[in-house]
């Protein structure tokens, strides 16, 4: 404990064992001793305050001189503010060591700024962390005015102290106005709330999300009202649910702090976005049996590693970690699909590409046959499909979209036309493949209703 022993011109210290000693002052009024031991300095102590680093500040006023002295943790005294030319006001925005002051009782705020009463100048003044001095209340005229307006335009009459309430507002006695007055600073009494989503606002469909709120000046018992798409839901400090794509979430805070102005504030809005993945394939549509075929997938909706499973006619033939595959064509018609598997924030998504058909259409045909068109009609077909080729057909087969052979036959020599009963076939896309007498191949597509 430190004691301002004004009339003995000392600062006294009482340790935890109850032993008293002189901490600063030699017992003679005055302002001297900078750079030396505080116990050898001349002081006139009218107020004390400690900062967060255990430096002691002394309101040191005597006739013709006024300063704020600082005693560091090594016991060395120095001038923190004031001059030896008196207390008459000589300006703000200057280094505190150049300012004339009449320092009285002091206080330090949470930002480390020192506030003190300057009764001779009818002001409350502040020294910031850079050492500059400013007036925070009072216009220097002795009187009473200014309530409800800027504090620096108010008239004070002998302010004699400075303190802070729980809301960070400055409170001081305005002695000769017989009042306690208060200065509220912008931002010191504003409640706030910010919400965040875990695991995030971009999620897999069906994933639960926990929303939490970070509040400022909520008080000891803040009230929460979560709102989803304009509808009130939970009232705890967190809220967990399975949101739909596009859900809009926010929270209304009701502060229990007497300092909060206004006491009710609304958070930011978090909009949930579903992550949908997809894959499409690109590559040749025609390739000879035995040739090498390369396909490339275009994957959407992913931002980290994924796996692609490649299937031909429903049978897995390769697994890759990039959307590229090369394989050797072994059948006349390949029906390729790619399934992308993506693990994202504790959920797994899959997507399958549309079927990519690779045929051997035109392989081995003579020039006239290669230029000719295999005709399949009607398409869509309902009961009978008619097939016509400009060359003799040796064999004819029909496969569905996944490559399953649903019809296969050999035709008599020199046959160029055929009719196939398809009345009971499933609706969908089919491929007709004919092999000519010279081994050439042609393929045509038709649709069943």
């Amino acid at each position: 404990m430190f004691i301002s022993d004004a009339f003995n011109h000392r600062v006294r210290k009482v340790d935890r064992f109850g032993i008293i000693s002189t901490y600063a002052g030699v017992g003679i009024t005055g302002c001297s001793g900078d750079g030396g031991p505080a116990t050898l300095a001349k002081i006139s102590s009218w107020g004390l305050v400690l900062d967060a680093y255990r430096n002691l500040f002394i309101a040191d006023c005597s006739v013709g001189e006024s300063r704020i002295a600082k005693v560091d943790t090594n016991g060395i005294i120095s001038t923190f503010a004031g001059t030896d030319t008196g207390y008459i006001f000589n300006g703000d925005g200057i280094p505190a060591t150049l300012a004339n002051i009449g320092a009285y009782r002091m206080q330090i705020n949470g930002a480390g700024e020192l506030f003190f009463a300057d009764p001779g100048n009818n002001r409350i003044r502040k020294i910031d962390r850079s050492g500059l001095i400013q007036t925070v209340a009072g216009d220097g005229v002795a009187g009473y005015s200014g309530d409800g307006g800027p504090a620096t335009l108010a008239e004070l009459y002998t302010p004699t102290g400075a303190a802070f309430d729980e809301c960070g507002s400055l409170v001081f006695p305005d002695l000769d106005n017989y009042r306690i007055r208060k200065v509220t600073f912008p931002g010191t009494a504003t409640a706030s709330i910010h919400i965040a989503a875990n695991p995030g606002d971009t999620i897999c469909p069906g994933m639960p999300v926990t929303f939490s709120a970070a509040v400022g000046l909520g008080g000891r018992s803040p009230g929460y009202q979560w709102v989803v798409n304009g509808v009130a839901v939970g009232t705890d400090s967190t809220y967990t649910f399975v949101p739909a794509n596009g859900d809009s979430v926010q929270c209304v805070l009701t502060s229990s702090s007497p300092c909060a102005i206004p006491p009710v504030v609304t958070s930011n809005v978090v909009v949930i976005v579903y992550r949908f993945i997809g894959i499409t394939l690109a590559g040749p549509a025609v390739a000879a049996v035995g040739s090498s075929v390369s396909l490339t997938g275009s994957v959407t909706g992913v931002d980290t590693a994924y796996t692609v499973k490649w299937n031909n006619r429903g049978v897995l033939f390769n697994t890759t970690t990039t959307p590229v595959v090369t394989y050797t064509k072994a059948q006349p018609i390949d029906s390729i699909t790619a399934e992308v598997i993506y693990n994202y924030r504790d959920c797994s998504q899959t997507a399958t590409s549309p079927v990519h058909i690779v045929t051997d259409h035109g392989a081995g045909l003579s020039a006239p046959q290669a230029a000719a068109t295999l005709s399949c009609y009607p398409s869509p077909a309902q009961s009978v499909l008619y097939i016509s080729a400009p060359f003799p057909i040796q064999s004819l087969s029909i496969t569905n979209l996944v490559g399953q052979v649903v019809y296969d036959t050999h035709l008599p020599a020199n046959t160029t036309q055929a009719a196939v009963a398809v009345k009971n076939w499933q609706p969908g896309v089919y491929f007709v493949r004919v092999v000519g007498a010279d081994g050439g191949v042609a393929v045509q597509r038709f649709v069943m209703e």
Side-chain angles (χ1 to χ4, degrees), residues 20-364:
I20 193 167
S21 61
T22 295
Y23 192 77
V26 73
I28 301 173
T29 187
C31 293
S32 70
D34 277 6
T39 52
L40 300 181
K42 294 179 181 180
I43 66 170
S44 296
S45 174
W46 295 98
L48 304 173
V49 68
L50 277 172
D51 70 9
Y53 304 100
R54 303 290 297 174
N55 297 304
L56 179 70
F57 296 85
I58 306 168
D60 185 3
C61 295
S62 62
V63 177
E65 298 177 302
S66 182
R67 68 172 181 170
I68 296 173
K70 173 184 173 182
V71 181
D72 66 21
T73 54
N74 294 317
I76 303 301
I77 194 168
S78 60
T79 296
F80 182 73
T83 67
D84 59 3
T85 59
Y87 68 89
I88 302 303
F89 181 80
N90 66 340
D92 280 329
I94 60 177
T97 52
L98 300 180
N100 293 336
I101 62 174
Y104 208 56
R105 294 185 178 92
M106 305 169 292
Q107 188 59 269
I108 295 176
N109 69 4
E113 300 170 317
L114 188 146
F115 290 69
F116 65 95
D118 190 349
N121 288 309
N122 295 300
R123 299 170 186 263
I124 302 293
R125 305 178 77 177
K126 175 184 82 171
I127 302 169
D128 65 22
R129 292 176 66 101
S130 67
L132 297 181
I133 193 167
Q134 295 286 348
T135 294
V136 295
D139 63 359
V141 177
Y144 174 74
S145 71
D147 278 5
T152 52
L153 301 182
E155 292 182 354
L156 314 181
Y157 201 169
T158 320
T160 56
F164 295 96
D165 66 12
E166 63 176 327
C167 304
S169 298
L170 174 68
V171 181
F172 62 91
D174 193 355
L175 183 66
D176 290 323
N177 280 318
Y178 307 103
R179 285 175 167 86
I180 301 296
R181 305 184 77 176
K182 180 172 80 171
V183 179
T184 300
F185 299 104
T188 59
T190 303
S192 63
I193 179 170
H194 183 87
I195 66 170
N198 185 20
D201 57 5
T202 302
I203 62 170
C204 293
M207 174 184 286
V209 177
T210 297
F211 294 84
S212 59
V215 304
L217 204 63
R220 295 182 178 180
S221 303
Y224 301 91
Q225 179 61 70
W226 293 93
V227 179
V228 177
N229 300 329
V231 178
V233 286
T235 57
D236 293 330
S237 60
T238 62
Y239 181 64
T240 301
F241 77 118
V242 178
N245 190 34
D247 273 356
S248 174
V249 182
Q250 61 185 157
C251 188
V252 179
L253 168 70
T254 301
S255 174
S256 65
S257 170
C259 310
I261 303 173
V264 180
V265 291
T266 302
S267 76
N268 56 305
V269 177
V270 174
V271 177
I272 294 297
V273 177
Y274 273 6
R275 179 183 290 274
F276 294 104
I277 67 170
I279 183 170
T280 57
L281 300 183
V286 177
V289 172
S291 66
S292 179
V293 178
S294 293
L295 300 176
T296 300
S298 176
V299 182
T300 58
V302 301
D303 55 10
T304 57
Y306 55 88
T307 300
V308 181
K309 292 186 175 182
W310 300 89
N311 297 275
N312 187 358
R313 301 189 179 202
V315 178
L316 178 69
F317 70 90
N318 204 342
T319 300
T320 63
T321 55
T322 60
V324 178
V325 72
T326 299
Y327 73 100
T328 300
K329 182 172 175 60
Q331 304 176 72
I333 300 177
D334 289 338
S335 177
I336 307 296
T337 59
E339 179 187 28
V340 59
I341 302 170
Y342 179 55
N343 292 311
Y344 174 77
R345 290 181 174 173
D346 298 326
C347 77
S348 179
Q349 282 197 79
T350 63
T352 302
S353 71
V355 175
H356 183 88
I357 300 297
V358 183
T359 74
D360 63 350
H361 175 59

